[in-house]
Amino acid sequence: MSSDDSITSESEESTYTESQVIMTTVRVVAPFSLTYGLFLTFHGSGSPGGSFQGGAIMAATVLMIAFAFGIEPTREWLRNRTVVALAAGGTATFTLVGLIPVLYGRRFLEHRFYEDQFHIKTKWGLEAIEVGGVAPIVAGVITGLFFLIAAGLFDAEEVSEDE
Amino acid sequence: MTPFEAALFVFVLATALTTAFLRDVLGVIVVFAAYSLGMALFYAFLLAPDVAMTEAAIGAGVTTLLLLLTLVKTVRETEGPRFERPNLPALLIMGGLLVALVLTIGDFPALGEAFDSKGWVWRNPAVTQYYIENAYEDTGVTNAVTAVLAGYRGFDTFGEAVVVFSAGIASLLVLKREVFTRE
């Protein structure tokens, strides 16, 4: 994984250098920071933090792994489809939660509607927005932006070759 | 002010000034990350854990990595003086801004006090007081910030989420990379 030749070319040999210290540190820290990100996302309604912070920390974990083990292998492991699905799915979930009350003639994002109609507590409406909407959007866009900027490091031809 | 807070203040000030005057861009990025981490600790001390987490993750982590990636594509200048010569007009403008900002400090309530010098709960007593008193009853969540963001101000949050999503898509289109479409 770390010795993947496709990430280095003659002109960009300095882009990725294997470092035992960084790799070991990231291997130890990553499980904790990913768990913390998930914790913040799912406990945003009862403790400090929330889905934005949780999504950002989860994305930062992915960036950290990419920094330690090479960007290209991480991108192949994560799949670009996952990144787009996160960002687009989050926006779609948020929109859906907002639009369902409108279909029943209520107002956009009217949380109380869910309690009246389906006996779903308002708390769960907020959780749906936070966990299903904001966190995936933030995580997806940050990771996507990172891969997007990193993609410029490799030539277009080189990128298509290693598929 | 405890010794730790004083040390943190000096650290943040020193890293901020170094960021402004250091000439080597790689050094600036590293010092700027240290500055962000110092600010994150500061926010934690000011009882704003949400902001502290965001600053630590995005300010110190993501921004630093994005800047480093961008720097790889440029040429690093190693010759020349170590520090940038300060630009006088810019220095005057920033000095004026600093004075204006420092003058507003007196209007803020002291740390840990709910009321400012005019006896108000911050600047918006009607709204803030309503949220504090009714958030749990209305939404059922104990974190009032979440109640405001996802409940009372859900439409604003929806707008922000859409802006973040559109900004991501827009940068994709502008940079014209096929990152997302290929597997």
Side-chain angles (χ1 to χ4, degrees):
Chain A
M1 178 181 175
S2 46
S3 59
D4 196 333
D5 286 331
S6 65
I7 61 158
T8 50
S9 67
E10 298 85 36
S11 57
E12 298 284 357
E13 266 178 80
S14 60
T15 307
Y16 176 67
T17 319
E18 217 177 278
S19 159
Q20 281 301 330
V21 176
I22 294 177
M23 274 162 60
T24 313
T25 313
V26 168
R27 205 168 284 178
V28 171
V29 171
F32 289 102
S33 60
L34 193 63
T35 313
Y36 187 51
L38 285 168
F39 174 84
L40 285 180
T41 308
F42 284 96
H43 283 259
S45 58
S47 61
S51 52
F52 184 90
Q53 286 79 15
I57 289 176
M58 284 190 279
T61 309
V62 173
L63 265 58
M64 204 164 68
I65 292 170
F67 192 67
F69 298 103
I71 293 161
E72 196 67 357
T74 311
R75 189 160 78 193
E76 275 160 27
W77 164 69
L78 197 67
R79 297 262 184 118
N80 302 309
R81 199 170 281 173
T82 320
V83 175
V84 183
L86 278 176
T91 315
T93 308
F94 204 148
T95 315
L96 205 67
V97 172
L99 279 181
I100 288 176
V102 178
L103 290 179
Y104 285 81
R106 305 285 286 267
R107 280 168 296 173
F108 185 77
L109 261 178
E110 191 175 340
H111 289 295
R112 203 154 285 164
F113 156 81
Y114 291 101
E115 178 132 30
D116 299 343
Q117 193 80 22
F118 306 114
H119 302 291
I120 301 171
K121 282 183 180 162
T122 305
K123 181 183 183 347
W124 300 113
L126 305 193
E127 293 279 13
I129 291 175
E130 294 266 296
V131 177
V134 177
I137 296 174
V138 173
V141 168
I142 290 177
T143 334
L145 206 62
F146 172 73
F147 286 149
L148 197 64
I149 290 178
L153 293 176
F154 321 104
D155 292 328
E157 288 166 51
E158 201 191 337
V159 166
S160 54
E161 268 169 20
D162 60 48
E163 282 177 61
Chain B
M1 195 185 262
T2 62
F4 186 81
E5 282 172 333
L8 196 60
F9 183 74
V10 172
F11 175 76
V12 166
L13 206 63
T15 44
L17 285 173
T18 317
T19 307
F21 290 115
L22 203 65
R23 204 178 155 81
D24 177 31
V25 185
L26 181 64
V28 166
I29 294 172
V30 173
V31 178
F32 191 53
Y35 163 81
S36 282
L37 218 52
M39 281 311 284
L41 284 175
F42 237 129
Y43 293 137
F45 263 99
L46 295 172
L47 304 179
D50 299 38
V51 189
M53 289 168 199
T54 313
E55 180 70 37
I58 303 214
V62 177
T63 314
T64 309
L65 275 185
L66 292 183
L67 288 174
L68 282 176
L69 277 181
T70 316
L71 188 67
V72 173
K73 296 176 197 166
T74 63
V75 183
R76 188 180 166 202
E77 197 181 327
T78 45
E79 309 255 306
R82 183 178 288 265
F83 290 101
E84 198 75 62
R85 187 192 284 267
N87 182 322
L88 198 64
L91 211 61
L92 284 175
I93 292 173
M94 295 321 287
L97 188 66
L98 184 73
V99 170
L101 287 175
V102 166
L103 285 177
T104 64
I105 289 180
D107 269 357
F108 279 97
L111 186 60
E113 269 174 37
F115 304 98
D116 68 1
S117 50
K118 294 185 182 75
W120 291 355
V121 181
W122 299 107
R123 280 280 164 257
N124 237 334
V127 178
T128 315
Q129 204 61 37
Y130 180 85
Y131 288 157
I132 292 172
E133 280 166 11
N134 297 293
Y136 184 69
E137 213 170 288
D138 284 350
T139 61
V141 299
T142 43
N143 184 352
V145 178
T146 302
V148 172
L149 286 180
Y152 296 113
R153 296 266 176 242
F155 191 64
D156 296 10
T157 308
F158 177 70
E160 285 162 23
V162 170
V163 164
V164 171
F165 177 68
S166 333
I169 298 297
S171 6
L172 167 74
L173 293 175
V174 169
L175 291 168
K176 282 193 178 161
R177 288 282 168 183
E178 298 176 324
V179 185
F180 288 144
T181 49
R182 62 182 202 89
E183 277 296 307

